[in-house]
């Protein structure tokens, strides 16, 4: 298989996996004519798939994301020789499978958690409810048009209402029909978005989406939650189907009246 086709095939496989985990493919123009590059980013980590022409190598790299983008302190996670004069489809498949494991396996999850802990100076992320909604498009493509309609008809974006009316019904059907592998990948989206989300996003995840699931649906998804979301989900489930009344302000005796008396 010619190296350009192999690169497109391998990076496409990696993209499909990372999209399920909430990553976005970025448009990049390689500054080095010796390399072909595909870049995928989340708010914490960037991954790059590259082909180095003079060395005939397929490479998987990662670095930390900053507010301005990748910090460009790239670490090589895997390197494979790919000589297209002898390599074939099986070689491309082997590389693709190895790279997918590199971005979604146990080590990758641990890497993401470590980076998240280093980056966080407080307990709140910055991803808003609209960003959360867009992360589910990879699972529910029809959301793309529904998000656009919401944006056209309402301002600001009604995150909680949209989640309850558009995302939750799809989740309930999906969880009942999905196999364990697909549910695990769905839980991965929840984990990433809860970790990166602002206070409104986290509330929507726990109080609207998770609490909107029945016990069977919840248990199927909860099996794959990370520690942070698992704790938040358990705390939130205590309020499922309950109307929480606001605390009544305590009556305070007027200081002025006391002084007059």
């Amino acid at each position: 298989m010619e190296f350009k086709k192999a690169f497109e095939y391998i990076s496409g496989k990696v993209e499909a996996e990372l999209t399920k985990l909430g990553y976005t493919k970025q448009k990049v123009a390689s500054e080095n004519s010796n390399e072909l590059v595909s870049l995928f980013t989340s708010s914490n980590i960037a991954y790059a798939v590259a082909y180095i022409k003079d060395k005939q190598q397929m490479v998987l790299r990662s670095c930390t994301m900053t507010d301005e983008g990748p910090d460009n302190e790239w670490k090589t996670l895997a390197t494979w020789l790919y000589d297209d004069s002898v390599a074939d489809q099986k070689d491309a498949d082997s590389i693709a499978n190895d790279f997918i494991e590199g971005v979604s396996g146990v080590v990758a999850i641990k890497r993401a958690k470590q980076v998240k802990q280093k980056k966080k100076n407080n307990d709140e992320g910055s991803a808003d409810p609209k960003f959360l909604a867009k992360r589910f498009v990879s699972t529910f493509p029809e959301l793309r048009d529904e998000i656009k309609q919401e944006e056209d008809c309402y301002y600001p974006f009604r995150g909680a209402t949209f989640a309850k009316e558009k995302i939750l019904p799809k989740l309930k059907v999906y969880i009942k029909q999905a196999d364990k592998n697909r549910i695990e990948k769905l839980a991965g989206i929840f984990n990433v978005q809860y970790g990166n989300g602002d206070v409104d996003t986290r509330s929507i995840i726990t109080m609207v989406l998770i609490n909107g699931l029945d016990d069977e649906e919840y248990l199927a998804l909860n099996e794959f939650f990370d520690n942070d979301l698992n704790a938040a989900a358990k705390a939130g489930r205590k309020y499922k189907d309950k109307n929480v009344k606001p605390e009544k302000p305590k009556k305070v005796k007027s200081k002025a009246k006391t002084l007059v008396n």
Side-chain angles (χ1 to χ4, degrees), residues 172-179 182:
K172 294 173 73 67
V173 173
Y174 184 88
I175 292 171
K176 282 184 169 64
Q177 298 176 346
D179 58 26
R182 289 197 295 165

Side-chain angles (χ1 to χ4, degrees), residues 20-187:
K20 296 173 186 176
L21 300 176
Y23 286 74
T24 302
K25 184 176 182 179
Q26 305 295 338
K27 293 182 179 179
V28 292
S30 177
E31 297 179 358
N32 186 346
S33 61
N34 188 45
E35 292 188 1
L36 300 175
V37 179
S38 290
L39 175 65
F40 311 95
T41 64
S42 69
S43 52
N44 291 327
I45 292 180
Y47 286 109
V49 176
Y51 181 75
I52 306 173
K53 298 176 185 177
D54 62 353
K55 295 182 179 180
Q56 297 181 315
Q57 291 178 341
M58 293 284 182
V59 181
L60 177 66
R61 299 166 176 154
S62 74
C63 74
T64 300
M65 286 290 289
T66 69
D67 291 338
E68 290 73 37
D71 67 6
N72 288 322
E73 295 182 8
W74 294 97
K75 295 181 180 179
T76 299
L77 304 179
T79 302
W80 285 68
L81 179 66
Y82 191 88
D83 180 354
D84 61 4
S85 65
V86 293
D88 57 17
Q89 182 69 51
K90 289 183 179 180
D91 296 301
D93 283 330
S94 295
I95 297 171
N97 291 335
D98 183 58
F99 284 9
I100 288 172
E101 177 65 23
V103 301
S104 63
V106 175
V107 174
I109 294 171
K110 184 177 180 180
R111 181 189 307 121
K113 287 182 178 179
Q114 290 174 338
V115 170
K116 183 173 72 174
Q117 291 302 320
K118 288 180 181 178
K119 285 188 65 180
K120 280 189 176 180
N121 294 321
N122 54 54
D123 196 39
E124 185 180 328
S126 59
D128 63 16
K130 187 194 296 187
F131 186 87
L132 171 67
K134 290 181 177 180
R135 293 313 95 195
F136 284 101
V137 170
S138 61
T139 306
F140 310 115
E142 63 270 26
L143 280 176
R144 182 176 284 105
D145 291 337
E146 293 173 341
I147 290 171
K148 185 178 185 305
Q149 183 178 5
E150 176 74 19
E151 291 174 322
D152 290 342
C153 297
Y154 298 97
Y155 181 84
F157 188 87
R158 302 176 305 161
T161 299
F162 187 86
K164 182 178 181 179
E165 295 180 356
K166 303 299 183 181
I167 301 176
L168 179 59
K170 295 177 177 64
L171 280 175
K172 294 173 73 67
V173 173
Y174 184 88
I175 292 171
K176 282 184 169 64
Q177 298 176 346
D179 58 26
K180 203 166 186 177
N181 185 51
R182 289 197 295 165
I183 290 178
E184 182 176 6
K185 290 176 179 177
L186 177 63

